[in-house]
Structure formats: structure tokens, C-alpha cells
Amino acid sequence: MRADARRNHERLVAEARAAFAEHGTEASLEDIARRAGVGIGTLYRHFPSRDALLEALLRERFDTLAAQAREAPATRDALLSWTRTLTESSTAYRGLVTAFLTTLRDESSALYASCKAMNAAASDLLARTQKAGEIRPDLEPSEFLTLTYGIAWADEQVAAPPRRDRLLALLFDGLRPS
């Protein structure tokens, strides 16, 4: 990438991060381009879609979460800790949980591969924790992820102080093996 193109890319990513933090994932792409000091055409040359821009912001986070899941010990506490980190990451920008769930149904999305890899690592951690007898064996990975993303979504919707930790504690109490 040429030096000027690299600078534009970096400014777009920085402004997107700020705009998404302030306005959520539906922040105006035109506003992001304007704040970065480039035209909307330049934004679309670097990021052909909103998903591509989100993927640029989130790929590293997803890769880190996947690596943490792969390296975590097969214990209930490790799974809870990882799940807490996932739910915190999922609410970094308003609307992000919905973007995740939409992405997982669209294989053409720029975010699909990153989300899929992270969810696969989570499923493996769950399976290892179940095999160790730390989590009830009848829980399916898709159910676990639905519950996890549901907690993140609910936490995002409530204007009150975050209830994420309380909801996760209740979930994990229900996941104890009988």
C-alpha cells in the first residue's frame, strides 16, 4: 500500500472506531469519511461495505478471543472468564451483537470467517470443559453461544448499570452438571 493510502486507511479505521463508540455500528459512513478527511469513495475503496470496516476493527479482537479459548484450561472458571471477555467485547459498540448474529448467517460477509473461527474455538472450549465434568453435558455449543450473545444483547439494551456479571453468574449456576 502506498504511504498516502496507508495513512488514509489508518485514519479511516481510527475515525470508525471513534464513530462506532459514539454512535454504534450504524454510524454514518459519510461522517466517518469526512472526519478522516477523505471522500466517501476513498472509504469504499478501502472498505467496500460496513462489514468490511467492522472486520478491520474487530479481526484482532476475534483472533485474540479465539486464541484465548484454545489456550484456556478446561475448567468452569476459565470458561466463565472467557465468556465474560466475549460479552464485554460484544458490547464495545452499540449494535455489535446484532452485527455478529447477522454475520453468522451470511457467509459472504467480511466478518464471517473471524466470527466463525471465534465461535469454533468457544465450542471447543465448551466441549473440553464438558468432558472434564465441569459443565452439564447436554448443552449444545449453539445453545451456549445463543445464551452468551443473548446476555450481551440484553446488557446493551438496558440503560441501567450493566447486569452482565449477574446474568453470567446465573447462567453458569444453571450449567453445573447435575
Side-chain angles (χ1 to χ4, degrees):
M1 197 181 291
R2 293 184 339 250
D4 61 329
R6 187 174 46 255
R7 282 191 302 275
N8 286 343
H9 185 275
E10 290 167 0
R11 282 198 314 263
L12 285 164
V13 167
E15 292 302 336
R17 187 173 285 117
F20 290 160
E22 185 177 345
H23 301 291
T25 59
E26 293 302 314
S28 164
L29 296 181
E30 290 83 4
D31 185 48
I32 291 168
R34 184 184 50 71
R35 289 168 59 165
V38 300
I40 191 67
T42 299
L43 182 143
Y44 281 115
R45 272 192 299 282
H46 286 276
F47 307 103
S49 66
R50 183 178 301 274
D51 274 356
L53 183 55
L54 278 169
E55 201 272 340
L57 293 173
L58 300 172
R59 180 184 326 116
E60 184 177 329
R61 182 178 298 176
F62 288 169
D63 291 348
T64 299
L65 281 165
Q68 289 171 346
R70 285 189 296 271
E71 295 166 4
T75 66
R76 181 180 177 279
D77 287 342
L79 181 62
L80 173 58
S81 177
W82 184 88
T83 305
R84 184 175 291 114
T85 302
L86 173 63
T87 58
E88 288 169 4
S89 291
S90 299
T91 56
Y93 308 125
R94 192 175 61 255
L96 194 53
V97 174
T98 302
F100 285 166
L101 298 177
T102 301
T103 292
L104 288 170
R105 291 187 295 268
D106 180 7
E107 291 183 29
S108 68
S109 166
L111 277 172
Y112 180 82
S114 295
C115 284
K116 197 74 168 171
M118 182 184 61
N119 283 350
S123 296
D124 180 63
L125 174 57
L126 174 64
R128 289 187 291 114
T129 306
Q130 288 172 312
K131 187 176 180 180
E134 299 254 332
I135 295 290
R136 56 189 295 165
D138 63 334
L139 179 67
E140 296 293 324
S142 63
E143 294 168 332
F144 173 70
L145 289 167
T146 298
L147 290 166
T148 300
Y149 288 129
I151 288 171
W153 181 85
D155 199 50
E156 178 183 274
Q157 302 305 308
V158 178
R163 304 279 302 168
R164 180 176 41 238
D165 288 340
R166 170 83 174 133
L167 294 173
L168 286 172
L170 291 169
L171 170 64
F172 272 75
D173 281 348
L175 296 181
R176 291 184 192 280
S178 51

